[in-house]
Amino acid sequence: MALTGVQIFKLLPKTNCKKCGYPTCLAFAMKLAQRQASIEDCPDVSEEAKRTLGEEAAPPIRPVTIGMGEKAVTMGEEMVLFRHDKKFFHPTVYAVQIKDTAPEADAAATIDEVLASEMERVGQHLRIDALYLSNESGESAPLEALVKLAAEKAPGFPLIIAATDASVASEALAYVEGSKPLLFGANAENLESMCRLAREKGASLGLVAKSLEEASELTEKAKAHGVEDLVIDPGARKAGEILRDNTLMRRAALKKNFKPLGYPILTPVQRDDEMLETLVATVGVCKYSSIVVLSSVKKWKSLALFALRQNIYTDPQVPMQVEQKVYNIGEPDGAAPLMITTNFSLTYFIVAGEVENSKVPSRLAVMDCEGLSVLTAWAAGKFTATKIAQFIKESGVENEVANKELIIPGYVAILSGALEDKLEGWKITVGPREANAIPAFLKSR
Amino acid sequence: MAFTAPKETYPGKVYPVGMGTAEKAVIVGGENVLPFHGFEGEIPGKPLVALEVQDVPPQDWPKAVRDACESVSGDPVSWAKHCQDALGARAIALRLIGTHPDREDRSAEDAVKTVTDVLAAVQVPLVIMGSNHVEKDSQVLVAVAEAAKGRNCLIGKAQEANYKTIAAAAMANDHQLIAMSELDINLSKQLNILITQMGFAKERIVTDPMSSALGYGLEYTYSVMERIRLAALTQNDAVMQPPMLADLGMYVWKIKETTATAEDMPEWGTLPERGIAWEAATAAAFLLAGAELLVMRHPEAVEAVEKFIAEMEV
Ligand code: SF4
């Protein structure tokens, strides 16, 4: 648990010398508690206090970054168990496995598929974020060739290099020194040599344990060997075990402040049955995996997993909003009906879905009401006659429709008179209150 | 620092709700832990997936899912038998969509005949749902509840505007009841209170907090479900303890991602895989959020979800 301002204050010199830039030690302590100041700003603080505060100030799940440049990904720093409490912070990284036993042409093709996986969805760029290059051959040359290929085709792209023999992985890592790969595969047997290699090559280190007990011992040992940027694979393979281990790790880190398990989690979900693999990946995304390793790139699989990650990692406090504009549903001609609603994404999805169900080509004007639903936006003064009139005029939709008729949601029927005054020459029609009545309403016109 | 697993126990539990009769009877709910947390508590039953069948041919379903039932979907009886016998469905959800005034506007008598015929043909538990037209459902569901007496069905959906007639019919004919409200934990609680105030046993309610599709509001359903389940378990709030239904097939099989062809959207990959993955992933997310009963449409999506459920047991 984080320290309070008063607890921090007790660790400070209490001289109120102002050298930190704050009028009193207490004021400085309060800022520290809110993580808006750094302990370094007090020149007189004791070493012991610094250490205590440093450990306390560290996030319960350590941030770890892999890759360089704009494709780099950061994991960890999560603060909650349930997404309704606070936004899940760093979205799960999707990594695709390539074995060093695969023919070079196949490996190259997979790398190309990964690089081409990027797509835009609801305003965000989504992609497979990392490559998981695994040393199936047990030899050094094939792994080296594969890493070299990846480094050439995708400089700086996050790489996870999976091997259990440091001497085998050493040559491969030389190709990506300086671009922060994740060396994955340290265990109780090889820990010391893997730590040494990770340190030498500036890689973060992935630990593979057989249990959570072992994982917590391994992280402590790795720290003793000077490696702190760690990722844990607690060894769970069955979907239910993944849920169990991930839940216990996140709880231990957040609720018990148990540092030895406060690291990002890597979850391999590869299955021959790729439909099942997609569902096991769902467990990882919903329940705390920072990296999910997939067996292949399939467009249908990527699309579903991208949408899932986007949903689970949206901020629950900020309603998802849809861009303000007039949307065409079907191919509306000049005589097609024009409806208006607010830009709360759920409102939009439901209304647009019902308009689609009606099979009546239509225009749907979606007005920016800061992501509020119709009634809430109206009550908050954001969905008023004046604002609607302004939006309709500025949208230019006037030039596209033959008859100036605007259909408003039944819940704001009260606005129709005022709207007719403000939108000269327009007819205002009151539509249904509930979206599920839209198909009948449109068809009966 | 030695690791001790931070296991949790809760004061509350989810009501076990029974459905069906004889050896095909099933129980949904009954657990005293978060979804799939068998490592720290009791999960007597496993989540139940009901395959959806309609009273009229599913012309409005997109091709990718319509194809999967094409040979049988012309008639609800052969469709239901196919689900039970060929596909091994553990439950069937019969949606009387044809009774909707804007659809075929089939009468309550037509619906009674369909329900009676389907019940005569299958032994697995039956979920019976109306067309979601508030007034028509009150007539239709009252009539079919009586016709299905003795089969211990789950009927609905009762909503704020029509719960009285539907709950009374379910009570009089010994069925379980779906209580549906619109994506709000307080509305859901309110409806359960209203229904129990009529004398309907809270142990016979299944809550439908309203579903959605992956990519189209899934996060709202997901979080409402998680919050309902946490209220049931941590606050031991009796009104929040019915098991939950995710009626998701109808939301999944109308969006672009399950309807657009691979020719139109080459970057989205192939159908039917894309649609199946979409429905199955939506289902998996709702199971993780706390749903115990799912209504789904594509047999291959159901198959994947059944495998998933098996793998979630530890
Ligand atoms: S610099 Fe240190 S001792 Fe001086 S006021 Fe700030 S906190 Fe207190």
Side-chain angles (χ1 to χ4, degrees):
Chain A
M1 291 299 108
L3 293 180
T4 65
V6 173
Q7 286 167 322
I8 295 172
F9 171 69
K10 289 182 183 153
L11 299 168
L12 295 176
K14 304 194 199 74
T15 56
N16 297 337
C17 73
K18 303 189 173 61
K19 282 186 248 173
C20 57
Y22 292 91
T24 61
C25 293
L26 183 61
F28 183 60
M30 291 299 170
K31 285 286 161 188
L32 283 175
Q34 294 162 15
R35 301 194 177 170
Q36 290 170 355
S38 160
I39 186 67
E40 303 297 330
D41 292 340
C42 170
D44 301 331
V45 76
S46 72
E47 278 309 311
E48 195 204 328
K50 227 186 220 176
R51 198 164 353 98
T52 315
L53 282 169
E55 274 170 22
E56 280 300 329
I61 300 174
R62 187 179 170 87
V64 175
T65 298
I66 56 176
M68 287 297 274
E70 56 167 13
K71 298 275 165 85
V73 285
T74 299
M75 307 165 289
E77 299 183 280
E78 300 295 338
M79 300 302 288
V80 294
L81 280 148
F82 299 101
R83 67 172 294 283
H84 55 260
D85 288 331
K86 193 167 188 281
K87 185 178 187 291
F88 281 3
F89 198 49
H90 291 302
T92 311
V93 167
Y94 292 133
V96 164
Q97 178 173 23
I98 305 177
K99 299 176 179 172
D100 68 356
T101 46
E104 190 188 320
D106 293 0
T110 307
I111 295 171
D112 288 337
E113 282 173 348
V114 167
L115 295 177
S117 69
E118 179 159 324
M119 63 172 78
E120 202 193 315
R121 192 170 193 288
V122 202
Q124 290 180 6
H125 289 274
L126 309 165
R127 61 171 165 263
I128 306 280
D129 318 85
L131 289 167
Y132 180 95
L133 310 175
S134 61
N135 182 222
E136 307 291 312
S137 67
E139 289 160 26
S140 126
L143 184 65
E144 193 186 325
L146 179 59
V147 172
K148 181 164 175 260
L149 181 71
E152 281 167 7
K153 288 180 87 73
F157 198 78
L159 298 184
I160 302 164
I161 298 170
T164 48
D165 185 335
S167 61
V168 166
S170 156
E171 293 300 317
L173 276 173
Y175 283 99
V176 284
E177 231 183 305
S179 52
K180 287 198 180 174
L182 169 64
L183 170 62
F184 179 79
N187 55 36
E189 286 77 50
N190 65 17
L191 190 70
E192 205 180 328
S193 57
M194 293 289 270
C195 283
R196 197 178 322 115
L197 181 60
R199 259 196 345 259
E200 271 170 33
K201 309 288 182 194
S204 46
L205 186 66
L207 303 166
V208 190
K210 295 189 186 73
S211 66
L212 295 179
E213 290 74 20
E214 195 193 28
S216 60
E217 289 161 18
L218 287 175
T219 58
E220 292 291 88
K221 285 184 189 154
K223 249 175 98 172
H225 288 300
V227 183
E228 292 198 64
D229 286 339
L230 301 170
V231 170
I232 300 175
D233 167 7
R237 292 297 174 269
K238 273 183 70 184
E241 295 166 355
I242 294 168
L243 174 75
R244 178 196 63 204
D245 285 1
N246 285 9
T247 302
L248 292 173
M249 280 178 73
R250 173 85 56 110
R251 272 187 199 158
L254 298 189
K255 296 179 119 176
K256 309 281 178 202
N257 202 15
F258 184 70
K259 296 288 180 191
L261 291 181
Y263 297 94
I265 304 172
L266 180 144
T267 307
V269 301
Q270 305 97 309
R271 300 278 186 289
D272 290 337
D273 179 344
E274 291 192 58
M275 199 59 75
L276 184 59
E277 172 178 315
T278 308
L279 304 188
V280 182
T282 303
V283 179
V285 175
C286 293
K287 296 293 168 188
Y288 323 136
S289 296
S290 286
I291 303 176
V292 162
V293 183
L294 304 163
S295 63
S296 72
V297 185
K298 290 270 163 49
K299 288 173 180 172
W300 55 262
K301 181 164 66 175
S302 303
L303 187 69
L305 289 177
F306 290 163
L308 178 77
R309 179 175 61 182
Q310 197 171 31
N311 280 170
I312 297 298
Y313 279 82
T314 50
D315 189 340
Q317 318 297 342
V318 182
M320 277 259 273
Q321 301 182 24
V322 179
E323 189 197 341
Q324 160 165 310
K325 69 174 193 188
V326 178
Y327 291 81
N328 286 349
I329 299 177
E331 285 168 16
D333 58 15
L338 168 68
M339 282 164 283
I340 185 163
T341 190
T342 66
N343 74 331
F344 176 35
S345 66
L346 198 57
T347 302
Y348 167 77
F349 288 140
I350 293 173
V351 172
E354 293 297 351
V355 176
E356 269 166 34
N357 284 349
S358 78
K359 306 264 192 297
V360 178
S362 308
R363 289 186 179 80
L364 180 61
V366 173
M367 183 169 143
D368 182 359
C369 296
E370 292 163 33
L372 299 178
S373 64
V374 169
L375 262 185
T376 327
W378 172 74
K382 298 185 195 305
F383 198 56
T384 62
T386 312
K387 289 181 178 166
I388 293 172
Q390 189 188 354
F391 165 51
I392 291 294
K393 281 182 196 153
E394 286 171 5
S395 72
V397 70
E398 203 168 7
N399 306 322
E400 291 171 36
V401 294
N403 29 359
K404 295 184 191 171
E405 181 189 8
L406 179 65
I407 302 164
I408 62 172
Y411 275 117
V412 290
I414 192 166
L415 293 179
S416 66
L419 257 176
E420 284 194 336
D421 291 345
K422 300 237 152 63
L423 270 178
E424 258 172 64
W426 282 75
K427 179 180 173 214
I428 306 299
T429 301
V430 176
R433 289 162 73 93
E434 299 295 342
N436 61 15
I438 288 175
F441 171 81
L442 288 178
K443 278 192 247 174
S444 67
R445 282 164 50 88
Chain B
M1 234 190 294
F3 172 72
T4 33
K7 294 191 181 171
E8 291 180 359
T9 52
Y10 306 95
K13 80 179 245 193
V14 178
Y15 293 120
V17 173
M19 284 168 58
T21 51
E23 68 267 30
K24 296 286 185 191
V26 292
I27 286 180
V28 292
E31 70 273 19
N32 61 0
V33 283
L34 287 168
F36 303 111
H37 283 219
F39 56 89
E40 54 192 0
E42 293 293 316
I43 307 181
K46 59 176 179 175
L48 180 68
V49 187
L51 255 169
E52 182 171 341
V53 161
Q54 297 194 344
D55 58 343
V56 290
Q59 272 126 5
D60 55 322
W61 291 13
K63 187 172 185 310
V65 61
R66 210 177 54 230
D67 282 354
C69 58
E70 192 79 77
S71 59
V72 289
S73 60
D75 153 52
V77 172
S78 47
W79 194 356
K81 271 187 81 69
H82 175 77
C83 291
Q84 175 188 274
D85 301 335
L87 301 173
R90 290 190 287 136
I92 289 167
L94 173 61
R95 194 187 304 279
L96 300 164
I97 191 72
T99 62
H100 198 288
D102 301 333
R103 294 282 305 256
E104 288 76 359
D105 199 17
R106 299 177 88 233
S107 67
E109 293 75 49
D110 294 336
V112 164
K113 175 152 189 347
T114 304
V115 167
T116 313
D117 292 349
V118 169
L119 280 171
V122 299
Q123 292 78 49
V124 294
L126 195 65
V127 183
I128 307 173
M129 295 185 292
S131 64
N132 212 20
H133 184 278
V134 169
E135 290 90 33
K136 190 70 180 278
D137 277 2
S138 327
Q139 304 166 23
V140 169
L141 292 175
V142 167
V144 301
E146 204 182 319
K149 187 170 180 126
R151 291 295 293 271
N152 197 23
C153 298
L154 172 64
I155 76 162
K157 303 169 180 175
Q159 313 179 38
E160 197 193 338
N162 64 8
Y163 72 91
K164 283 191 180 146
T165 45
I166 299 172
M171 192 154 52
N173 298 289
D174 304 323
H175 299 299
Q176 329 299 321
L177 181 71
I178 305 169
M180 187 191 86
S181 49
E182 293 193 354
L183 271 185
D184 182 306
I185 183 167
N186 296 316
L187 290 179
S188 167
K189 180 169 178 166
Q190 179 63 22
L191 182 59
N192 288 354
I193 291 172
L194 290 172
I195 290 171
T196 48
Q197 277 172 352
M198 292 174 56
F200 195 93
K202 55 185 179 301
E203 298 84 356
R204 307 193 70 154
I205 296 175
V206 171
T207 292
D208 177 359
M210 198 162 131
S211 221
S212 50
L214 175 60
Y216 295 83
L218 172 130
E219 69 273 29
Y220 297 100
T221 302
Y222 183 93
S223 280
V224 169
M225 283 182 167
E226 272 198 335
R227 291 177 60 205
I228 289 178
R229 185 47 37 86
L230 283 167
L233 296 177
T234 61
Q235 292 154 28
N236 199 7
D237 183 344
V239 210
M240 305 302 275
Q241 290 173 333
M244 287 187 282
L245 162 71
D247 182 10
L248 60 104
M250 60 186 271
Y251 291 95
V252 167
W253 292 104
K254 67 176 186 188
I255 59 170
K256 295 194 292 295
E257 284 83 350
T258 59
T259 51
T261 62
E263 289 74 48
D264 289 341
M265 295 303 289
E267 66 274 30
W268 281 2
T270 47
L271 281 174
E273 290 87 344
R274 191 197 322 137
I276 295 168
W278 212 268
E279 184 173 32
T282 305
F286 291 153
L287 288 174
L288 289 165
E292 283 94 353
L293 174 61
L294 309 178
V295 173
M296 297 177 63
R297 290 186 172 174
H298 201 296
E300 287 179 51
V302 174
E303 196 188 320
V305 170
E306 294 283 7
K307 281 187 207 157
F308 172 74
I309 291 170
E311 220 196 286
M312 287 302 288
E313 284 169 4
V314 283

